Amino acid sequence: MNFTNVDPTPEQMLRHLRRANAVAQGALELGRHPFGAILVAPDHETVLAEQGNLDTVNHAESVLARNAAQSFSADTLWGCTLYTTVEPCCMCAGTQYWANIGRLVYGLTESRLLQLTGNHAENPTMSLPCREVFSRGQKSIRIWGPVPEAEAEIAALHTGFWSAQS
């Protein structure tokens, strides 16, 4: 079956966002910012890669996208979906675009993250939605998010982390 024109189901989206949040939990346990991303194959089931946040420059999504671009063909990646706990920043959205990953699902908006982190020096959130970044390109990245059913679980990691960092 050609999955390129088939979208993930709401159940698949929620399941994969929960797995990305488990990756974020792993990053948190390593003392890193609690962001997580996974790359799912065109079949919407097979997880090809997982990545937690490394630091303020090596975000989960951008590291995952760079590694995926080295490991898979552009045609394969166009059918894949990047799942991430929080809406990608402009750097991560750009990296996804250049890696040719054709779909994105995120749980929490960048603006909601700002509400949780406040004016935190380690997370100077930019008000530039990923949809705006992608709209400036020549490729149509399919986007789903935020996903309200996952928001509380994702927000819980951030609430605890950022309040402890203040």
Side-chain angles (χ1 to χ4, degrees), residues 11-157:
E11 294 78 16
Q12 288 169 321
M13 289 182 198
L14 186 56
R15 181 167 27 93
H16 292 312
L17 281 173
R18 286 184 169 142
R19 183 157 176 180
N21 203 40
V23 173
Q25 175 68 45
L28 180 64
E29 290 168 3
L30 292 171
R32 299 176 180 148
H33 297 168
F35 298 95
I38 65 170
L39 181 68
V40 176
D43 68 2
H44 304 298
E45 290 296 329
T46 306
V47 176
L48 300 174
E50 297 182 341
Q51 182 65 55
N53 217 59
L54 297 178
D55 55 40
T56 57
V57 177
N58 292 293
H59 296 180
E61 304 91 341
S62 60
V63 171
L64 185 144
R66 282 192 301 271
N67 290 339
Q70 292 178 338
S71 300
F72 302 100
S73 72
D75 287 343
T76 296
L77 289 173
W78 186 248
C80 291
T81 307
L82 175 65
Y83 287 84
T84 183
T85 53
V86 178
E87 179 179 8
C89 70
C90 56
M91 174 182 68
C92 293
T95 308
Q96 176 180 349
Y97 178 86
W98 289 109
N100 208 50
I101 300 170
R103 294 183 180 91
L104 169 68
V105 178
Y106 64 87
L108 197 70
T109 64
E110 183 91 0
S111 60
R112 177 72 177 116
L113 178 64
L114 179 59
Q115 292 172 355
L116 296 170
T117 64
N119 188 22
H120 199 285
E122 290 184 31
N123 193 47
T125 304
M126 298 178 76
S127 181
L128 183 56
C130 69
R131 282 178 171 85
E132 175 69 18
V133 175
F134 290 134
S135 75
R136 302 302 178 107
Q138 297 177 34
K139 299 182 263 187
S140 295
I141 307 293
R142 303 262 302 140
I143 307 165
W144 293 269
V147 176
E149 298 83 0
E151 183 173 333
E153 298 167 47
I154 294 167
L157 288 183

Side-chain angles (χ1 to χ4, degrees), residues 28 34 116-117 152-166:
L28 180 64
L116 296 170
T117 64
E153 298 167 47
I154 294 167
L157 288 183
H158 289 276
T159 300
F161 178 82
W162 299 105
S163 61
Q165 299 296 310
S166 298

